[in-house]
Amino acid sequence: MFVWGGNNKTMAKLTSSTTHGVLVLPLCLLLLYIFSPALSLETTKLRGSCLASERDALLTFKEGINTLHGSLLSSWEGQDCCRWRGVLCSNKTGHVVKLDLRVDPDEFSWASMSSDISPSILALEHLNYLDLSFNNFRGRQIPKFMGSFKNLKYLNLSHAGFRGSVPPQLGNLTKLLHLDLGRNYYLQSVDLVAWLPRLSSLKHLDMREVNLSAAVDWVQALSMLPTSLRVLHLANYNDFHGPIPDGLLGNMTSLEELQLGSNDLVGMIPETMKNLHKLKVLDLSENQISGDIAELMERLPHKIQLLSLWANNLNGSLPNWIENMTSLSTLLLGYNSLTGSIPSGIGKLTNLNNLDLSSNQLVGMILEDHFTSLTRLEMLDLSNNSLTMGVHPNWIPPFKLKEVYLSYCKLRPHFPTWIQSQTNITFLVMSSAEITDKLPNWFWNVISQT
């Protein structure tokens, strides 16, 4: 027995219990001896050391991969696969739960990772996260066994060079929360109903640029998506035709982001769009959406933050009550047939960051009131209209623009002095603006600061 200090009274008390101490000490040692293997194993698991069977499965997967990037899987050596690049293990069990082999888009190469995906990774039964995006599988099909990861919650196969049909076995991933198949330009899905509605836990679906032209059941499939869905990306040439069905979005009460741009949708948006109270982002750009802009905006939840209706067939005038849409940060209405003047209330949208009203038939004066509270504005495009800038020569804007497009706006006759305060400008286009003044000396000082 060791005693670190203490008075004689304390020593006497400790000495009197020596008999009990002799009995207790071997018992503690015995318990430590009996349970030390389990404790040792648990300690190993807490350190994240992987299981041998899962390490072997990853090595088999590696053997089937061709890569010209030596660093991609170069760390896959040694006994502890939990230390390998892109591999994450559970601190409690040691099982591999995450495999992130996404290639940085800035370093993207069509030779990043190719060849077949080995079914050996099915041994990773506890895998809940798999990201193979921005690789290149050279036109191979998505393996059917991808639908066998019963614990998968996140699957990202975007921009990975897959082609052929989406395997309906993906519908078996009932725990899946996030699915991204986007930007696989030669990937298609004919029978969406066969698999998509079965993803009953889905919150994020991205199938942009997947060919759905032959999917005659797309309306039915989308209407059967779970109410938990928050993000739906079906933009860029999914080849959807016709009007947006009135009942399509009725059940998507959790939807926060809807992107259907660059398709062939026609007509007015459905009135049920207003019931999407959580909707923050709506992109319907480059379609054939038509009708009165004021009526369309009445069908939107007023808390929307990004509204892109660029390149459609909308007409009419912007409503005066646009000032009530105070959450708007991006408003893109260029390349339509809007008429009338721009309401001054637009200057009350304090969160507005991007404003594009270009290539319409807008007329009238642009005054300081149009910009009163636009302190966050960074991009302004009013080009190709019949607008006249009527601000005071000494006006100092409340914003610092990065991009300014004012072609065919009447800025005459002098060069606008308010540009002098815009020291963050990277793009400035003011062609055919009826300026007869010479370029001021301060202009080059402004440009040199950007």
Side-chain angles (χ1 to χ4, degrees), residues 348-412:
K348 298 180 180 180
L349 302 179
T350 56
N351 291 306
L352 200 60
N353 183 260
N354 298 284
L355 176 61
D356 181 358
L357 300 175
S358 63
S359 299
N360 280 286
Q361 300 167 28
L362 298 171
V363 298
M365 299 287 289
I366 300 296
L367 305 173
E368 295 171 25
D369 289 347
H370 287 91
F371 305 106
T372 302
S373 301
L374 303 188
T375 57
R376 300 183 181 183
L377 196 66
E378 294 184 346
M379 192 282 288
L380 175 64
D381 191 347
L382 301 176
S383 59
N384 298 309
N385 284 289
S386 296
L387 298 168
T388 301
M389 189 71 76
V391 298
H392 193 275
N394 296 326
W395 176 58
I396 299 178
F399 47 68
K400 290 286 188 180
L401 295 174
K402 294 181 179 179
E403 300 180 36
V404 187
Y405 306 94
L406 297 173
S407 295
Y408 290 94
C409 289
K410 297 178 178 62
L411 308 179
R412 62 191 180 194

Side-chain angles (χ1 to χ4, degrees), residues 48-77:
S49 181
C50 72
L51 305 179
S53 60
E54 297 187 352
R55 179 180 63 248
D56 294 342
L58 289 171
L59 289 174
T60 302
F61 169 81
K62 177 183 177 181
E63 290 174 0
I65 295 296
N66 292 331
T67 176
L68 297 183
H69 289 290
S71 62
L72 186 63
L73 301 178
S74 61
S75 69
W76 286 28
E77 296 179 351

